Amino acid sequence: MKTLKIAIQKSGRLNEKSVELLKNCGLSFENYKSSLISTVSNFPLEILFLRDDDIPEYVQDGIADLGIVGENVISETEVEVSFLQLLGFGKCTLKLAVQNNTEIETLQDLEGKAIATSYPVILKKFLDKNQIDAEIRTISGSVEISPGLGLSDAIFDIVSTGGTLKSNGLKPFADVMSSQAILIGRKGEEDNPLIQELIQRIQSVLRAKETKYVVLNAAAENVEQIIKLLPGVKSPTIVPLAEEGWVAIHTVIPERDFWEKITLLKAAGAQGIVVMPIEKIIL
């Protein structure tokens, strides 16, 4: 059986979460910081630790079968790969930002101005779409200091919290692209059984992170009303309690609806609500 290769960041904002995801999928390996390759002992998989900019090309050229990388890197490198699964971490936005005391107020005010960025391809497409003729100055790192040094009138860069912009006297000006980590694969290899198995494992971990396991007690006469509030994977499990006329209801609730559902359940007569994390959900 052919051993798969998956490329992830050697260091950077996606490394820790990528390693955590793979370990949560039941893969056993060492995260060697000084090594470029780690072999999984319980699955036919090798993990390549690479620079994030190199990952898309490694996958496109077949050196790696899979990769975990930011959507922004895919857009910047313009490679031909398959998008297999959004992963829900490494979320950020690529924004234009300007100095706090600038006279730039609209996109058209960028006409003829200089914009510093590490993402010239994405920026060029955005400017062309908005029919703006600006000078793009490509800088690899520390983009946020360029306006203060007089190198540019604006910057285009990744923004997660906005703290770096604020500390450099900058303010967000326009959102250009949202990004998160994504699992990519080589074109034409999507149906590989090993790839499909790994995707299934990843999806089970992601589903579990998005839900809570809930057990609650309720009087029998309130069960019908409570069940209407519960989505469950298929339907809630109902178990009679030792006390006559009472049951325990087991279900899962999406994280996004959790507190709203809990409030409604209590109003419908739910008592003794116990909430537990879920490790995996396999459909």
Side-chain angles (χ1 to χ4, degrees):
M1 183 179 293
K2 177 191 173 185
T3 298
L4 293 179
K5 291 182 174 63
I6 184 170
I8 68 173
Q9 273 191 353
K10 180 175 176 60
S11 60
R13 63 192 187 92
L14 299 186
N15 170 266
E16 185 177 331
K17 289 291 187 180
S18 298
V19 169
E20 178 185 333
L21 173 64
L22 295 177
K23 287 186 177 291
N24 285 340
C25 288
L27 304 179
S28 180
F29 62 93
E30 296 294 331
N31 183 17
Y32 295 110
K33 291 292 186 180
S34 59
S35 174
L36 292 179
I37 302 178
S38 184
T39 300
V40 175
S41 62
N42 59 349
F43 191 84
L45 180 70
E46 289 182 341
I47 302 170
L48 312 181
F49 296 93
L50 306 174
R51 289 178 63 252
D52 59 345
D53 292 347
D54 294 334
I55 292 173
E57 243 178 81
Y58 270 59
V59 174
Q60 176 183 257
D61 296 344
I63 299 170
D65 303 284
L66 300 165
I68 295 177
V69 70
E71 292 176 282
N72 57 299
V73 178
I74 303 296
S75 296
E76 182 63 27
T77 54
E78 298 185 300
V79 294
E80 290 294 325
V81 294
S82 295
F83 286 21
L84 301 178
Q85 178 67 52
L86 289 170
L87 300 176
F89 61 84
K91 292 182 179 181
C92 63
T93 306
L94 277 74
K95 297 176 181 277
L96 284 160
V98 294
Q99 290 180 300
N100 290 326
N101 58 355
T102 185
E103 295 181 355
I104 297 174
E105 295 182 353
T106 68
L107 285 177
Q108 294 308 316
D109 291 336
L110 293 171
E111 184 75 23
K113 299 293 194 296
I115 306 172
T117 185
S118 299
Y119 299 94
V121 173
I122 298 173
L123 177 57
K124 177 73 163 55
K125 289 180 180 179
F126 177 79
L127 294 175
D128 289 348
K129 179 181 177 181
N130 288 276
Q131 299 182 325
I132 297 169
D133 183 15
E135 179 186 354
I136 297 175
R137 295 184 176 174
T138 304
I139 297 177
S140 57
S142 301
V143 173
E144 64 277 354
I145 68 173
S146 60
L149 296 176
L151 298 176
S152 68
D153 303 290
I155 70 166
F156 174 62
D157 203 11
I158 286 178
V159 177
S160 296
T161 64
T164 302
L165 293 182
K166 188 175 182 180
S167 64
N168 284 277
L170 302 173
K171 61 183 179 181
F173 176 63
D175 293 353
V176 175
M177 175 186 177
S178 295
S179 175
Q180 64 175 288
I182 187 170
L183 178 71
I184 59 172
R186 189 182 182 192
K187 288 278 190 181
E189 299 294 325
E190 300 88 348
D191 294 331
N192 181 314
L194 285 177
I195 290 177
Q196 287 301 312
E197 181 177 343
L198 186 57
I199 290 173
Q200 183 183 51
R201 292 193 187 194
I202 289 172
Q203 289 174 342
S204 73
V205 172
L206 296 179
R207 288 189 202 103
K209 285 188 174 182
E210 294 170 356
T211 55
K212 298 290 186 183
Y213 189 85
V214 177
V215 180
L216 58 90
N217 296 332
E221 63 264 23
N222 294 328
V223 168
E224 186 176 348
Q225 183 180 356
I226 288 173
I227 287 178
K228 290 179 180 177
L229 300 171
L230 299 176
V233 175
K234 279 192 175 295
S235 62
T237 300
I238 301 174
V239 181
L241 295 179
E243 183 176 346
E244 189 175 348
W246 283 79
V247 298
I249 301 175
H250 298 239
T251 190
V252 295
I253 296 178
E255 180 75 37
R256 64 182 181 275
D257 300 330
F258 180 73
W259 288 110
E260 179 185 354
K261 289 290 185 184
I262 292 297
T263 300
L264 293 173
L265 289 169
K266 289 177 67 177
Q271 298 180 18
I273 301 173
V274 178
V275 181
M276 294 168 280
I278 302 174
E279 185 175 332
K280 296 174 182 67
I281 297 180
I282 300 171
L283 299 181

